[in-house]
Amino acid sequence: MAEIAVSLVGSLIAGISTLVEKEATLLQSVPENTRFVKDELQTIGAFLGVVENMKEDSPKYQMARVWAEQVKDLAYDMEDCLEEQITALTTRNSSWSQYVTNYRALRPFAAKLSDLKSRIVEVSERNMRYHLVIADQVIDNHMNFMVALNKVLSRSVEGTTDNWTQNVVTWAEAPEESASNDKTCAPKVTAVVGMFGSGSTRVSEIYKRHKADKKYESYVWIELSQDVNVTKVFKDMMKQLFDDSSSQPEYTGEDELAHGIQHELKQKRFLVVFDELWTTHAWHSIKKALPHVSRSGSQVIVTTEIVHVAKGCTESDDHVYWVQLLSKQESFERLKNLILVTENSKMTHEDREDFEDLDLKELDRLKVLEPPFNTIEQILRKCRGLELAIGTVAKLLASKSPHKWGKLCDDLPSLLYSNHPMLKDIWKVMIQRYKDLPPYLKPCFLYLSIFPENSDINVEIIIDRWLAEGLVRDRTGMSPRTVAKWYLLWLIDRSMIMVSNLRKNRSFKTCWIHPMMRDILVMISQEEKFSITVGPRKSSSLLVKRLPHVTLDGGSGRKLARCVDLSGIRSLTVFNEPSESIAALICSSKLRAVRILDLSNANEFKITRRDIERVGELCHLRYLNLYKTNIYELPSSIGMLPFLQLLNVRKTRITKLPNEVTQLGKLQLLRASRRTEDSCHNRRNRCCIDSALTVPKGIENLQDIERLDIMDIKDNSGSEIEALGKLARLEHLGLAGITIGNSKQVSKTLKRISSSLTYLYLGACQSDGTLACLPISEKKRKKPLEFPRLQTIKLDGHIGKMPYWISNSWTLAVIKLYRTNLQQNHIMSLEKLPCLVTLALLDNSYISETLVFYDKAFRELKTLEIIRLTKLKTVIFTEEAVPQLRSLAIRCCELRLKGKNNLKLRKVDLDDGVEEV
């Protein structure tokens, strides 16, 4: 796969450059060969850029694809060779001058390098010999397009998330004005967004209904292609406007056609639908045929799968609607009806009667039905509310006896990928959406096939793993993490993946892929030798030399080594307990090339320190995720991982990090917290937060660290706390255990890193701690403390008064307060924050009996949470307060709520203890 090879070659060139500088005095052949390899890789990289943009119908596509696969294998071997050498240099105790004289250590590397040089020459000559690709072919730069959509994509995810949960209502009903009403106005333009054509399906039903009812005077339905021919579109509109071809005016040019359509529509009440619009450029070319003024009630509906295109067609976000997938009940009824009305159904009379009597409540109650309808639940999960999927699967089921539905369901992924005639419609849509992705996004999207079907995928895990795998391309002026986020937003904008858990209208925590789209990705991954899942009925019987991504999802009845070559594995992810122990895998001498070890989903079975005792031998490791495992202690060998970028030990049993962690020079993210038992049994209203871990000595050595949470500084010396101030790249910091004794050091540290922080959590010691002792709570006369990039602040503990740098921030979007003991005047100091969208008052953070939100206060606030404020008795919203508020949650409180009718809420979560007056 050329896309993956390009990513590998790019990272290799940077690694080689570093090695050449360090090894200038090595064996004579080493620097010469290394420079040669670098130059050849740069040339090959240019050719690969052409291959990844090559169309499948190109005569040389298949040969070029094989060549790219050979380059990919070569790049893997080259990367392993280089990193082994760098690891040896990094971990060796002797000095560099002593090491260069050790020819025994150098000779194996020189021999491998010489062999790799020969292979590179062979691969390069093969391309020239068969004239596969030429360097002067055009290479599209999709990143420029993506960067240009910066503001549009941001609003798509953050600003209009409420619309995503609305049902399509306002445009579903035709106007009720009588035909004699001559009132005119601008026609309303509505955009309908839906996954894989679901918007088209829904609008088509409404269009047909209105046309049958003759609610409008003129009807036009135009199906668009990706390459829109505007003249052809206008001619199609003219044909539909003039049923009698003899009365159709003779127009030829594009402008003449547009003028003629305008003239015909401006005196009528019309419904015009443009189906499957792909670009805003096409819309601007098409809309010139629409009149500026027409009969009142005229509508233009645009269907699309692309959020930013939908927003580009309308004047207001309120005119963009997301077509929700069908509910389980709706899906069941649609599936049932389609099967029953299908002609030539293979159902017996008895089966038909049983199927007609089948009820979803019975299905949910019994959980497991008797044959032949015991697979209905599985089918509904596979279709997941997508009308196109339900329709195609219903046809397939109706063509077979119900007693064969179980096997059909099991075979559905392979039937789908093999383009079964009855699944052709959905296969065509989904495979085309994958092929339309920019080349650099294909491996990133394909990577998501690693995660189980119908699972919510944590977006931070996706981004972290993309970065660790080297799938994110460098972009001038943008950090790799920023580029990765835009990759994700691009996929969401195209409805390729769906947001499943919105977080305070500003971000999203999880996402998911439609099960049938995932089936296609799984089949492509196996065909491209990209990834495989090993588990019950999921393992391959073929031993593949280079299969980089392996997922263990339960016992398979045989050892992993019988399914894949362990030496080629670069990522190992565990979701369910495998047939062999994790310790046995990590101890294997063959499993040494692995870059990703993700055990975060293995909380259903125990993983202990013994399992990861020899993790230090995985010298290439970049990503180690132990989230929610039962590990009590990290082995000291953790310090032997020179390339480790992420270490996640959140919600484990670990209480202290070993000092060897500070030897991880490339570590960028350290996520740490200790699992604690909730004091509340109600998960929704839990009272405890996770305990922090102590700061290890030598933390200042982690100069690449960007995220550090949560660290307990209660027992640390002042020098160790101040050492945190030397971490110049730190963006995300969580500190707990703040006391009067260490507050001075904390303030000094925050001043040193204030310019880089985007997230800050400060927690007072649970027993006697307070945040009021921090000097940052006071306004400085000369130069007040500023956090110019801070977006999220969480304070846990008494603060005395609202810090000046919070109440005057221009960037804060989220404020969460715990146990702060604030009163009305403190809340009023936050009223004018220009970017604040979320305010959470939790756990006695507010101690007055009355809380008032005054007129014109909190102009941008969208989410308000009031939880566990035991002293609060009344909350009042005045007439013009919080005008943008859409979500209100009041829980674990007994109080009176006044002025709720003054709010334009879309989501309300009130406990029984809240009395509305």
Side-chain angles (χ1 to χ4, degrees):
M1 179 179 288
E3 297 89 351
I4 301 172
V6 168
S7 299
L8 287 168
V9 169
S11 61
L12 272 177
I13 292 172
I16 291 173
S17 300
T18 303
L19 200 60
V20 168
E21 294 175 2
K22 289 186 176 182
E23 299 200 335
T25 57
L26 293 182
L27 289 176
Q28 186 175 358
S29 64
V30 170
E32 178 184 348
N33 286 343
T34 309
R35 290 189 184 92
F36 173 84
V37 168
K38 177 185 176 183
D39 293 341
E40 282 295 301
L41 284 172
Q42 286 176 327
T43 303
I44 289 174
F47 285 115
L48 285 170
V50 177
V51 175
E52 69 175 359
N53 286 277
M54 190 178 287
K55 300 296 183 182
E56 289 190 17
D57 56 0
S58 173
K60 295 181 179 180
Y61 173 76
Q62 289 300 331
M63 293 180 65
R65 181 181 174 187
V66 172
W67 178 77
E69 187 72 25
Q70 293 168 351
V71 174
K72 183 180 72 172
D73 287 340
L74 177 60
Y76 279 137
D77 291 338
M78 186 72 210
E79 187 178 40
D80 291 346
C81 177
L82 287 175
E83 289 193 357
E84 286 170 7
Q85 182 67 1
I86 293 173
T87 303
L89 299 176
T90 305
T91 58
R92 195 170 180 85
N93 293 326
S94 58
S95 66
W96 173 253
S97 59
Q98 292 174 321
Y99 179 65
V100 296
T101 61
N102 188 345
Y103 284 86
R104 290 184 178 179
L106 290 171
R107 282 172 181 163
F109 173 64
K112 288 182 180 179
L113 196 59
S114 179
D115 176 63
L116 287 166
K117 174 184 174 181
S118 300
R119 289 175 59 191
I120 287 177
V121 171
E122 182 182 347
V123 166
S124 184
E125 289 179 347
R126 187 175 296 116
N127 173 44
M128 304 302 293
R129 187 163 59 247
Y130 294 104
H131 305 288
L132 298 178
V133 288
I134 54 177
D136 60 353
Q137 288 178 238
V138 177
I139 301 176
D140 296 329
N141 189 350
H142 295 271
M143 270 303 295
N144 290 334
F145 167 76
M146 190 169 64
V147 174
L149 293 176
N150 189 337
K151 293 182 180 180
V152 177
L153 284 173
S154 295
R155 292 195 299 268
S156 297
V157 176
E158 298 178 0
T160 62
T161 51
D162 291 325
N163 283 336
W164 290 23
T165 58
Q166 289 182 351
N167 291 321
V168 181
V169 175
T170 58
W171 52 267
E173 298 301 328
E176 296 298 333
E177 291 95 341
S178 65
S180 61
N181 188 347
D182 293 328
K183 183 179 178 182
T184 61
C185 62
K188 179 181 178 182
V189 179
T190 299
V192 182
V193 187
M195 171 189 273
F196 300 131
S198 55
S200 299
T201 304
R202 197 69 58 87
V203 172
S204 176
E205 294 174 355
I206 295 169
Y207 178 85
K208 290 175 182 177
R209 188 176 76 238
H210 288 335
K211 192 171 184 179
D213 295 341
K214 297 181 180 181
K215 296 280 187 173
Y216 295 89
E217 296 172 81
S218 289
Y219 295 85
V220 176
W221 179 285
I222 301 295
E223 292 186 7
L224 302 173
S225 61
Q226 291 194 41
D227 299 321
V228 174
N229 184 326
V230 178
T231 301
K232 183 179 182 301
V233 168
F234 290 167
K235 287 182 177 179
D236 288 345
M237 293 180 71
M238 291 293 287
K239 287 180 182 179
Q240 295 184 48
L241 288 172
F242 293 91
D243 295 332
D244 183 3
S245 59
S246 62
S247 62
Q248 181 177 331
E250 292 293 332
Y251 297 122
T252 55
E254 183 179 305
D255 291 337
E256 287 184 358
L257 286 165
H259 180 75
I261 294 169
Q262 279 191 8
H263 179 75
E264 180 66 22
L265 290 177
K266 66 181 181 181
Q267 300 299 326
K268 296 181 178 181
R269 181 183 299 128
F270 61 82
L271 174 60
V272 175
V273 178
F274 295 105
D275 186 34
E276 289 297 326
L277 183 68
W278 289 89
T279 66
T280 52
H281 175 74
W283 168 249
H284 290 306
S285 299
I286 292 170
K287 73 174 185 178
K288 64 184 180 181
L290 300 174
H292 298 292
V293 176
S294 63
R295 289 278 303 279
S296 178
S298 295
Q299 291 206 58
V300 178
I301 301 176
V302 176
T303 73
T304 181
E305 296 178 18
I306 308 172
V307 178
H308 85 266
V309 171
K311 294 174 68 64
C313 297
T314 59
E315 295 181 356
S316 168
D317 292 349
D318 292 335
H319 296 166
V320 177
Y321 298 93
W322 179 261
V323 177
Q324 288 186 316
L325 298 176
L326 298 179
S327 67
K328 186 177 179 181
Q329 178 67 45
E330 292 170 331
S331 298
F332 175 74
E333 292 174 357
R334 180 69 62 92
L335 180 73
K336 184 176 177 181
N337 291 337
L338 288 173
I339 292 174
L340 290 173
V341 300
T342 300
E343 295 181 5
N344 301 320
S345 173
K346 300 299 181 180
M347 278 190 179
T348 64
H349 179 71
E350 182 179 0
D351 286 340
R352 175 177 287 273
E353 288 184 345
D354 291 341
F355 192 55
E356 287 175 345
D357 293 338
L358 195 61
D359 183 84
L360 185 61
K361 292 181 179 179
E362 180 185 8
L363 191 67
D364 291 334
R365 181 175 60 83
L366 296 177
K367 300 299 179 185
V368 179
L369 290 175
E370 295 294 328
F373 304 125
N374 54 330
T375 58
I376 293 295
E377 182 76 29
Q378 185 181 352
I379 292 167
L380 293 177
R381 285 198 305 269
K382 181 68 71 175
C383 295
R384 194 159 181 175
L386 183 65
E387 292 181 70
L388 181 59
I390 294 169
T392 50
V393 170
K395 292 179 185 177
L396 182 64
L397 295 177
S399 69
K400 300 290 182 181
S401 166
H403 294 274
K404 296 182 179 180
W405 286 3
K407 188 175 187 310
L408 269 180
C409 200
D410 291 339
D411 294 341
L412 195 58
S414 57
L415 292 174
L416 179 64
Y417 190 66
S418 62
N419 195 10
H420 188 280
M422 290 188 178
L423 299 174
K424 187 174 183 178
D425 289 345
I426 192 167
W427 175 88
K428 183 178 179 180
V429 169
M430 290 187 171
I431 202 71
Q432 191 60 48
R433 299 303 179 267
Y434 172 77
K435 290 180 179 179
D436 287 340
L437 289 175
Y440 57 84
L441 272 180
K442 286 181 181 176
C444 293
F445 189 49
L446 206 57
Y447 198 83
L448 301 183
S449 65
I450 290 172
F451 299 92
E453 183 175 290
N454 279 307
S455 65
D456 286 341
I457 311 170
N458 187 288
V459 297
E460 287 188 344
I461 289 178
I462 295 173
I463 290 172
D464 291 338
R465 291 188 60 154
W466 281 349
L467 291 169
E469 294 280 8
L471 297 178
V472 178
R473 296 192 181 179
D474 292 335
R475 178 71 184 177
T476 304
M478 299 176 71
S479 69
R481 184 165 295 275
T482 300
V483 176
K485 288 178 180 178
W486 285 118
Y487 282 10
L488 196 66
L489 289 177
W490 201 100
L491 293 169
I492 291 171
D493 179 61
R494 292 277 174 150
S495 303
M496 300 295 285
I497 59 179
M498 304 296 295
V499 173
S500 54
N501 190 343
L502 297 174
R503 188 161 52 181
K504 315 311 178 194
N505 292 331
R506 292 290 297 179
S507 61
F508 48 96
K509 187 175 181 180
T510 58
C511 61
W512 58 276
I513 317 172
H514 192 275
M516 287 193 172
M517 185 73 244
R518 180 186 173 275
D519 285 342
I520 289 177
L521 292 182
V522 169
M523 302 303 290
I524 294 174
S525 294
Q526 293 184 9
E527 184 179 89
E528 297 284 356
K529 301 176 184 176
F530 181 77
S531 69
I532 190 173
T533 297
V534 179
R537 296 182 299 163
K538 298 175 183 176
S539 56
S540 172
S541 58
L542 299 177
L543 184 65
V544 181
K545 178 181 183 296
R546 182 76 70 180
L547 221 164
H549 307 297
V550 175
T551 299
L552 302 181
D553 195 7
S556 66
R558 53 181 170 173
K559 300 294 184 182
L560 180 61
R562 295 181 182 178
C563 304
V564 294
D565 184 351
L566 297 182
S567 63
I569 296 177
R570 299 172 77 83
S571 78
L572 182 63
T573 308
V574 180
F575 285 102
N576 287 295
E577 188 168 10
S579 301
E580 54 201 305
S581 70
I582 301 300
L585 287 174
I586 294 179
C587 292
S588 172
S589 59
K590 293 183 178 180
L591 192 72
R592 289 293 176 264
V594 66
R595 268 74 172 164
I596 306 288
L597 182 58
D598 193 340
L599 307 177
S600 61
N601 296 283
N603 51 4
E604 297 299 325
F605 60 98
K606 288 188 177 181
I607 293 179
T608 64
R609 169 173 170 161
R610 181 181 177 184
D611 292 312
I612 63 166
E613 186 67 39
R614 296 176 63 178
V615 71
E617 297 178 14
L618 306 178
C619 61
H620 299 288
L621 205 62
R622 288 165 165 77
Y623 178 102
L624 178 58
N625 193 346
L626 303 172
Y627 176 73
K628 276 190 174 181
T629 58
N630 291 287
I631 293 174
Y632 284 83
E633 186 180 18
L634 287 175
S636 58
S637 64
I638 193 77
M640 298 168 59
L641 303 174
F643 301 105
L644 195 67
Q645 298 173 13
L646 177 141
L647 175 60
N648 189 347
V649 291
R650 288 188 62 230
K651 296 183 183 293
T652 61
R653 306 291 183 181
I654 296 172
T655 58
K656 182 179 180 180
L657 294 172
N659 289 335
E660 285 80 5
V661 166
T662 61
Q663 298 173 14
L664 304 174
K666 291 187 178 295
L667 195 65
Q668 297 174 8
L669 297 98
L670 176 55
R671 298 173 178 169
S673 65
R674 180 162 52 92
R675 188 189 305 179
T676 57
E677 301 298 331
D678 295 341
S679 60
C680 288
H681 295 293
N682 187 343
R683 180 180 178 85
R684 180 169 172 264
N685 299 320
R686 81 180 166 181
C687 301
C688 292
I689 60 173
D690 294 324
S691 299
L693 274 64
T694 56
V695 178
K697 293 182 180 180
I699 193 72
E700 65 274 12
N701 295 332
L702 304 181
Q703 286 299 304
D704 285 347
I705 199 79
E706 297 175 2
R707 175 167 180 162
L708 186 63
D709 65 343
I710 305 173
M711 296 290 108
D712 191 340
I713 58 174
K714 181 178 63 174
D715 298 323
N716 285 106
S717 66
S719 60
E720 291 169 357
I721 297 173
E722 291 182 16
L724 294 170
K726 299 178 182 179
L727 305 178
R729 300 183 61 181
L730 200 59
E731 298 179 359
H732 184 117
L733 176 64
L735 294 178
I738 297 175
T739 64
I740 296 177
N742 62 26
S743 60
K744 185 176 181 180
Q745 288 79 17
V746 172
S747 297
K748 187 180 295 186
T749 294
L750 293 177
K751 289 175 185 177
R752 294 186 65 178
I753 60 175
S754 61
S755 61
S756 64
L757 289 178
T758 60
Y759 172 99
L760 179 61
Y761 167 81
L762 297 176
C765 182
Q766 292 287 328
S767 57
D768 59 352
T770 176
L771 301 180
C773 54
L774 293 175
I776 60 172
S777 296
E778 301 293 337
K779 177 180 178 180
K780 301 294 184 182
R781 293 181 180 179
K782 295 181 179 179
K783 185 179 180 181
L785 182 67
E786 293 181 353
F787 291 80
R789 299 179 59 205
L790 194 64
Q791 298 175 13
T792 300
I793 180 75
K794 297 180 181 181
L795 299 178
D796 183 2
H798 175 63
I799 59 175
K801 61 185 294 186
M802 187 62 65
Y804 175 83
W805 53 272
I806 291 182
S807 57
N808 289 272
S809 172
W810 287 88
T811 57
L812 270 176
V814 178
I815 297 178
K816 290 190 175 185
L817 304 172
Y818 309 79
R819 306 185 302 143
T820 48
N821 297 339
L822 298 179
Q823 300 187 38
Q824 181 71 51
N825 61 316
H826 301 128
I827 302 301
M828 292 175 64
S829 70
L830 305 177
E831 289 180 347
K832 298 187 182 300
L833 291 179
C835 296
L836 188 65
V837 295
T838 297
L839 176 63
L841 304 175
L842 315 165
D843 297 335
N844 293 320
S845 57
Y846 188 85
I847 57 174
S848 296
E849 292 187 355
T850 303
L851 175 60
V852 182
F853 292 89
Y854 292 101
D855 295 356
K856 300 181 181 180
F858 296 102
R859 302 294 297 179
E860 299 300 321
L861 195 69
K862 292 181 173 63
T863 300
L864 175 63
E865 295 182 359
I866 299 173
I867 301 174
R868 291 186 294 275
L869 303 185
T870 56
K871 296 182 180 181
L872 183 61
K873 303 302 180 186
T874 306
V875 176
I876 302 173
F877 294 98
T878 58
E879 187 172 350
E880 297 184 16
V882 284
Q884 300 297 323
L885 193 68
R886 297 296 179 266
S887 175
L888 173 64
I890 302 178
R891 299 197 297 268
C892 297
C893 297
E894 293 187 5
L895 52 81
R896 302 174 69 196
L897 178 61
K898 296 182 179 180
K900 178 187 168 186
N901 293 335
N902 295 328
L903 306 175
K904 299 179 181 179
L905 297 175
R906 292 175 181 165
K907 181 179 179 182
V908 183
D909 185 3
L910 304 179
D911 271 356
D912 294 337
V914 178
E915 178 187 356
E916 297 183 42
V917 293

